[in-house]
Amino acid sequence: MKRVQLSLIFLFTNFVFTIAQVGINNPSPVSTLDISAKNATGTSTDIDGLLIPRVDRLRAQNMSAVPVSTLIYVNSTATGTPAGTAANIDAAGYYYFNGTVWTKLVTSLNIYNSDGTLSDNRTVTTNGNLLNFINGANSVKVITSATEGALAANGSSRGWLNLVGGSANVDYLVQIDGIAQLNSYGNSTQLSIGSTNASPLALKTNGIERLTILRGGNVGVGTAAPNTKLEISSGTANTSGARFTNLTSVSPISTGQTLGVDAAGNVITVANPSPASVTTASVNSTTGASFNVNDTAVIMVPGTSQSVAVPTGGKALFINFMLGIDYGSNPAGSGSSYYEARLYIDGTATDCYMRTQEYGPGGYSAQFSFNTVKFLTAGNHTIDVRMTRTFNNGVASGVNMLCIPISMSFNATYLN
C-alpha cells in the first residue's frame, strides 16, 4: 500500500514538472496555478479561498533575502518598529516586498473615513448636482449647474469666506444680526474694489444704483453719467444735495475763499471782498471866493474841483453838494432869473444838476443841493460843480450876476 502511494506522489510530481500548470479543483488549469472554488455557488458553508501567510511586524522585519513580490498579511503591529524593511508597516493588512521594503497593498480610499494625498491635479464634475460639506447646522456648498456657479458658506450664526495671501487677510462675512462686512486686515496695505477694464463701478441700495464711478474717474451721486469729477443730483429742484454738517450759516468767518455756483451748477470760488476802503475828497467853507455867473458861459464854482483815484475793481463814488449864495450885483431886470448848478466829471457835464430861481426879501439869494452815486472806471478823475444862468427873465444876456458863497459843502467819497 505504501508503495502505491509513493508511486502516485512521484507520478503527480512528474506531471507538475512536465506541464508546469497546476489546477486545484480544476482539471484544466489555464495558468501556473489555477484554483477553482469547491463550491462556486449555492449555500454551502464550506470555506473557499486562499490563505496568505500571517505574521506580525517583528517577523516581517526580521526576514532576509526576501524575493521580490513576496506577499504576506501582517496581523499585528504591536511588535517590531516601523523601520528598515518594515518602515511602511503601520497597520494590519496585506504587504508585498518590492525589493527594498514591505509595501502596503493600497485599496481605494473612502474620503469619509480615510485620509489621502493627491498625486496630481484632479477634476470633480458635479454634473449639475450640489456638492455639500455639512457640519451640523453649518455648511459649505459648491454649486455648479447650467446657469449657476457659486460657493456658498452657511452658518447658524455667521457665513464667512476668508482669503489669505502671506500674512494679509480679506474676510467677507454675514452675521446673524444681518450685517454684511468686507474687511482687510493683517499686513494688508490696501483694500482695492473696482474694475480693471473700462466698465464703471456702481454702489446700490434698495436695488437702485446710488453712486457711480466712471472709467475716467468722474463720480456721480444720484446720477449714472457724471460730467465732472464730482456731480451730485439731489432730485429736488433748487437743492444741491450737499450738506456740511459742521459748517453752517452761524459758523464764524475765517480765512478762505467764498464759494458760489455758476449757471451750470458747478461750485466755484468767488473772490473774497476786500475790506472797505473809503477815500473822501471834500471842501467845506463859509468864506468861499465870490464868482460871476451869466447866461453865455459855464463857470466853475471855486473850491469844488477835486481829483479822485479809482483803483482796479473799484465800486462807487458818492457825491454830495450843497451851496448857499447871495446875489450881490443885482443887474437890471434881476429878481426872477433861474440859475443852474451841475456836476462835471473829467470836464463833461453829467445828468446831476439843480435849478433854482432868485428869491429873498431885501436881497436876492439861492440854495443848491444834490446827491448822487457815480460808477467810474479805474484811474484818476476830476470832479467839479459849474454854474450858469438858464433863464434871464428880463436880465440882458451876458450881464454878470455876482455870487457870494455864504455856505458850501462838497464831498466826493470813493468806496472800494
Side-chain angles (χ1 to χ4, degrees):
M1 190 67 179
K2 290 182 181 180
R3 273 190 227 150
V4 173
Q5 289 175 342
L6 185 59
S7 298
L8 288 175
I9 292 173
F10 285 140
L11 179 63
F12 178 75
T13 303
N14 184 56
F15 174 77
V16 169
F17 286 129
T18 300
I19 65 175
Q21 289 181 323
V22 176
I24 299 177
N25 295 326
N26 186 346
S28 301
V30 295
S31 64
T32 303
L33 178 63
D34 188 348
I35 303 174
S36 296
K38 185 176 182 179
N39 299 288
T41 60
T43 60
S44 175
T45 60
D46 293 342
I47 297 174
D48 280 304
L50 180 64
L51 190 59
I52 301 299
R54 291 155 290 174
V55 298
D56 63 8
R57 180 167 58 186
L58 181 60
R59 178 70 180 86
Q61 193 170 24
N62 287 325
M63 291 185 190
S64 61
V66 180
V68 174
S69 80
T70 300
L71 180 66
I72 61 174
Y73 180 85
V74 175
N75 58 9
S76 174
T77 57
T79 61
T81 59
T85 59
N88 295 332
I89 301 178
D90 56 2
Y94 288 98
Y95 291 83
Y96 71 92
F97 197 75
N98 67 2
T100 303
V101 294
W102 292 103
T103 302
K104 186 182 297 184
L105 285 178
V106 178
T107 57
S108 298
L109 292 178
N110 185 332
I111 63 173
Y112 296 104
N113 53 33
S114 300
D115 294 331
T117 300
L118 291 178
S119 61
D120 204 346
N121 294 334
R122 296 292 182 266
T123 300
V124 176
T125 302
T126 63
N127 198 28
N129 300 312
L130 298 181
L131 177 61
N132 290 351
F133 299 87
I134 300 176
N135 177 17
N138 303 326
S139 67
V140 175
K141 300 179 181 179
V142 179
I143 305 168
T144 61
S145 67
T147 59
E148 182 178 10
L151 173 63
N154 186 332
S156 59
S157 61
R158 173 184 290 185
W160 179 36
L161 176 63
N162 172 245
L163 303 176
V164 180
S167 56
N169 291 257
V170 172
D171 282 353
Y172 174 71
L173 58 93
V174 180
Q175 300 186 144
I176 194 172
D177 57 7
I179 298 177
Q181 300 181 43
L182 178 62
N183 303 311
S184 66
Y185 59 97
N187 287 342
S188 296
T189 59
Q190 179 175 322
L191 177 60
S192 179
I193 301 175
S195 61
T196 58
N197 57 14
S199 62
L201 172 66
L203 299 180
K204 64 173 63 175
T205 61
N206 200 26
I208 300 174
E209 292 183 0
R210 307 294 186 180
L211 184 147
T212 302
I213 304 177
L214 299 185
R215 63 180 183 179
N218 288 0
V219 179
V221 179
T223 175
N227 295 301
T228 60
K229 286 301 180 182
L230 176 62
E231 181 174 344
I232 301 175
S233 176
S234 68
T236 303
N238 301 319
T239 301
S240 70
R243 173 180 293 179
F244 300 101
T245 302
N246 295 321
L247 180 63
T248 68
S249 58
V250 298
S251 298
I253 298 175
S254 184
T255 58
Q257 288 291 95
T258 303
L259 294 181
V261 61
D262 65 12
N266 297 307
V267 177
I268 59 175
T269 58
V270 180
N272 291 331
S274 300
S277 174
V278 179
T279 302
T280 301
S282 64
V283 57
N284 294 281
S285 176
T286 57
T287 59
S290 299
F291 57 96
N292 291 312
V293 176
N294 59 44
D295 62 319
T296 61
V298 178
I299 306 300
M300 182 187 300
V301 177
T304 62
S305 180
Q306 302 179 61
S307 294
V308 176
V310 177
T312 301
K315 298 298 184 294
L317 189 67
F318 296 87
I319 300 171
N320 174 269
F321 175 73
M322 291 182 294
L323 175 64
I325 61 171
D326 277 338
Y327 295 117
S329 59
N330 296 321
S334 63
S336 58
S337 297
Y338 284 82
Y339 291 85
E340 176 188 284
R342 183 180 290 267
L343 177 68
Y344 278 68
I345 299 178
D346 296 329
T348 301
T350 70
D351 58 354
C352 182
Y353 66 92
M354 180 178 181
R355 290 175 182 170
T356 186
Q357 191 177 24
E358 303 171 62
Y359 71 95
Y364 302 105
S365 63
Q367 296 289 331
F368 298 90
S369 176
F370 54 75
N371 297 276
T372 188
V373 177
K374 294 297 181 182
F375 294 90
L376 305 179
T377 60
N380 295 320
H381 298 274
T382 301
I383 303 169
D384 60 73
V385 178
R386 304 181 188 188
M387 286 186 64
T388 186
R389 188 167 59 234
T390 56
F391 297 100
N392 290 328
N393 284 341
V395 175
S397 178
V399 176
N400 288 330
M401 169 64 84
L402 178 64
C403 295
I404 306 169
I406 57 177
S407 65
M408 183 171 63
S409 176
F410 185 28
N411 297 290
T413 301
Y414 162 72
L415 177 64
N416 181 20

